[in-house]
Every structure is written in C-alpha cells, then in structure tokens.
Amino acid sequence: ESSYLYVTNFEWYLTVLVELIQLEAGSKHGRLIAEQLLDVAIRVPVVRQFAVNEMTNLLDTFTVSSQSNSMYEVLYAAAWIVGEFSNELEDAERTLNILLRPRQIPGHIQGVFVQKCCKLFTRLATTCLENEDPNGLIRLSDHVLEKLQDFNSSIDIEVQERANSACILIEMLRAQFNDANTACNHNIDFIGSETSETPQQQVSIPTLAIEIIQEMALLFAGELIPVAPKAQRKVPLPDGLDLDEWINPPPEDESSSSSNDEKEELFVSSSLIRMRQLPDADLVRVNPEQIERQRMQRLIE
C-alpha cells in the first residue's frame, strides 16, 4: 500500500521509466520496469491518458536488437496498456498501425500485440459504425486482414491461433459487404484521402455486420479493477459451503445395477457357451433326446 507513498507526480515517474528503457537497452531489469508500467497505469486512473500516449511513442521508437532480450518485456506492458485503455488514445489508428508492424520478438509478446490489435480494431470499427462510414469500415477491415498475415506465419502456435481467430472474425465482417453487393473502390488511402477523382460510392452497413461489431465490442466490455496477488486468501468462505463434499453425489442405484449387469456378463453357463459354438445347422438338428444322450455320455466318461 505504501509503494508509491513518496511519488507525487506519476507522469514524472513514467517518464523516468521510459528514459531507463531507452538508456539501458541491454539491462536485465526489463521485466521489473514492465511490471512498474503496468502497475501505475492500472492503479492510477488520472495518469492513464499520459501513459497510453507515452507507450505509443515507446512502441514506435523501440529498437529491436540482440542485446535487448530482457527489455522486450516492456513491449508486452506497452502493448497491453495501449490496448486496455484505448479510449484514452489520441490517435487509435496510428497506434493500431504501430502494433501491426512485423517485429522479431518473443511469441508471448506477439500474442499480446494480436489481442490488442483486435481491441483497437473493434474500437475503430465502432467509430465507423457510429459515424455511418461503411467505406471506412471496409478499408479498415482490408488493411488489418493484410497486416495480420505476418502473425499467421509466426512460429508460436498461440500467436497463430489468435491471429487466425481475428482474421476469421474480420473476414466474416468483410463478407457481409460482398454478400450485399456493396463492394467499394479500394484505391483509397487507409487514412481516408482519395487517390482518384471519382467520387466514392455511398453504401450502407449491412445489419449482420452491425451485429458482428456489437458482439466484438462485448468481448472487451467491462471495467478493469486491480487485485492484489494474495487477495483470494482474504475472501471468507460462505456459510454452509464445504469444499470437501460432493456437490452432486453419484446415485447408488445406477452403480449397483451396473455392477450386477457386469457380473451377469462375466459368468455365463458352459452349456450356453457350447450352444453358441455350434454351427447354425447343428442347432436346427439337435432335439431333446440327443441332448439327453450327450449328457449321459459325459457322465459315463
């Protein structure tokens, strides 16, 4: 609780952390710095807007080198912060393009990049939906689908799975425009400036595309609340709850009946076995007298 007792300016503290990252590229304390970045951004809401913009600049200027293996962890923290608090971003589109850049970084960090790209895409798609901008939504979908192909070819299976899932969702969204025969001119720059003098065809957003965007927005809805690592120990058990008891004990009747059936299947009379071994033709010819004669012969033997 007293970790930041003497810190009065958290913007200054974040600036110092970023400067340490830039000056100590080969440091072994990358994980510790990343934890501090996450802790401050989560626990101090008033500094989040400053934090997300600082993390965007960090992602943009961070240089990948063989000497910065430990410092890669700050990319994990930076990507997580800009994605989780994307509402505080000044330019979400620029941040999305930065995250979509191909980089030679560890797989668990690439996975965070893909996850936060999905969240930023959802925010931008929601903005297009609110502004009734179907052409912008089409351009955004095509752009993200193209850039995610680099993550699909990652050697990390988790990154491949996340990127493939994101591509499937965006392809479903993009397909709604094709199904409605509302394909638009793709010779338009991603930032919105037209490259031709031909006016852009105005189209409407299909109903199913609207539902897909709304469902994707629900995936990232909810407020993030910090929880201490040992907080679970302080949660009291409800009255009457016994974790050692069965919630739904198995019924005894079914188990006993099943055991009886197994016994009947295990113990079969020898006469029935011999009858099963006889050919079908012999079963037809055998009569009670022959059975009795065979029984007497076995007794004599």
Side-chain angles (χ1 to χ4, degrees), residues 30-49:
R31 184 179 297 274
L32 179 60
I33 296 176
E35 291 176 355
Q36 289 294 296
L37 292 172
L38 288 170
D39 198 39
V40 172
I42 294 173
R43 294 181 179 275
V44 188
V46 295
V47 81
R48 286 176 184 171
Q49 184 176 7

Side-chain angles (χ1 to χ4, degrees), residues 252-267:
E252 297 180 357
D253 296 337
E254 294 183 2
S255 60
S256 60
S257 61
S258 61
S259 60
N260 293 333
D261 295 339
E262 292 177 356
K263 291 180 180 179
E264 292 178 358
E265 293 179 358
L266 288 174
F267 301 99

Side-chain angles (χ1 to χ4, degrees), residues 22 31 39 119 137 139 151 227:
Q22 296 171 346
R31 184 179 297 274
D39 198 39
K119 189 164 186 176
L137 183 57
R139 292 193 300 271
F151 294 95
V227 179

Side-chain angles (χ1 to χ4, degrees), residues 43-287:
R43 294 181 179 275
V44 188
V46 295
V47 81
R48 286 176 184 171
Q49 184 176 7
F50 179 82
V52 294
N53 292 304
E54 283 292 310
M55 295 302 101
T56 299
N57 294 330
L58 176 62
L59 290 168
D60 189 20
T61 59
F62 187 88
T63 303
V64 177
S65 64
S66 59
Q67 298 179 352
S68 57
N69 292 333
S70 175
M71 278 298 175
Y72 284 148
E73 297 299 328
V74 301
L75 295 179
Y76 180 104
W80 194 93
I81 290 171
V82 298
E84 193 64 35
F85 306 114
S86 58
N87 293 333
E88 304 288 346
L89 286 170
E90 295 179 354
D91 190 350
E93 186 176 305
R94 171 176 173 263
T95 305
L96 176 62
N97 288 329
I98 292 173
L99 290 176
L100 288 172
R101 291 178 188 171
R103 306 170 189 249
Q104 296 297 327
I105 54 179
H108 69 284
I109 302 178
Q110 288 185 5
V112 176
F113 275 45
V114 175
Q115 190 74 9
K116 299 312 173 183
C117 284
C118 294
K119 189 164 186 176
L120 288 173
F121 170 83
T122 303
R123 182 199 166 183
L124 292 172
T126 303
T127 302
C128 293
L129 187 62
E130 294 173 351
N131 297 334
E132 297 182 357
D133 184 12
N135 298 326
L137 183 57
I138 292 174
R139 292 193 300 271
L140 175 65
S141 301
D142 292 342
H143 177 74
V144 175
L145 283 174
E146 179 184 357
K147 296 299 183 180
L148 282 178
Q149 299 307 316
D150 294 328
F151 294 95
N152 275 331
S153 58
S154 173
I155 61 175
D156 190 279
I157 188 64
E158 180 71 18
V159 178
Q160 292 183 26
E161 183 176 354
R162 292 189 181 190
N164 190 41
S165 300
C167 286
I168 291 175
L169 282 174
I170 299 174
E171 286 173 356
M172 290 174 57
L173 173 62
R174 183 65 177 86
Q176 304 310 313
F177 293 91
N178 295 333
D179 295 341
N181 294 323
T182 56
C184 299
N185 182 14
H186 299 287
N187 296 324
I188 298 177
D189 187 68
F190 179 62
I191 61 175
S193 60
E194 298 187 4
T195 58
S196 62
E197 297 179 357
T198 304
Q200 183 72 10
Q201 181 183 0
Q202 294 297 326
V203 295
S204 59
I205 302 178
T207 304
L208 190 55
I210 297 175
E211 295 178 358
I212 293 175
I213 295 174
Q214 292 174 347
E215 291 293 332
M216 292 179 67
L218 290 176
L219 294 175
F220 305 105
E223 182 182 359
L224 184 67
I225 301 176
V227 179
K230 299 180 181 179
Q232 185 64 36
R233 301 179 182 178
K234 300 180 181 180
V235 178
L237 289 176
D239 296 336
L241 176 62
D242 188 357
L243 299 178
D244 296 328
E245 291 184 358
W246 285 91
I247 298 177
N248 296 313
E252 297 180 357
D253 296 337
E254 294 183 2
S255 60
S256 60
S257 61
S258 61
S259 60
N260 293 333
D261 295 339
E262 292 177 356
K263 291 180 180 179
E264 292 178 358
E265 293 179 358
L266 288 174
F267 301 99
V268 183
S269 61
S270 59
S271 60
L272 181 59
I273 294 176
R274 285 192 296 271
M275 291 293 290
R276 290 178 178 176
Q277 292 176 348
L278 290 174
D280 294 342
D282 295 339
L283 288 175
V284 175
R285 297 174 185 175
V286 172
N287 53 40

Side-chain angles (χ1 to χ4, degrees), residues 11-29:
E11 293 185 3
W12 165 83
Y13 185 57
L14 288 176
T15 303
V16 171
L17 293 176
V18 173
E19 290 178 355
L20 285 175
I21 296 169
Q22 296 171 346
L23 295 175
E24 302 291 337
S27 174
K28 299 181 180 180
H29 303 293

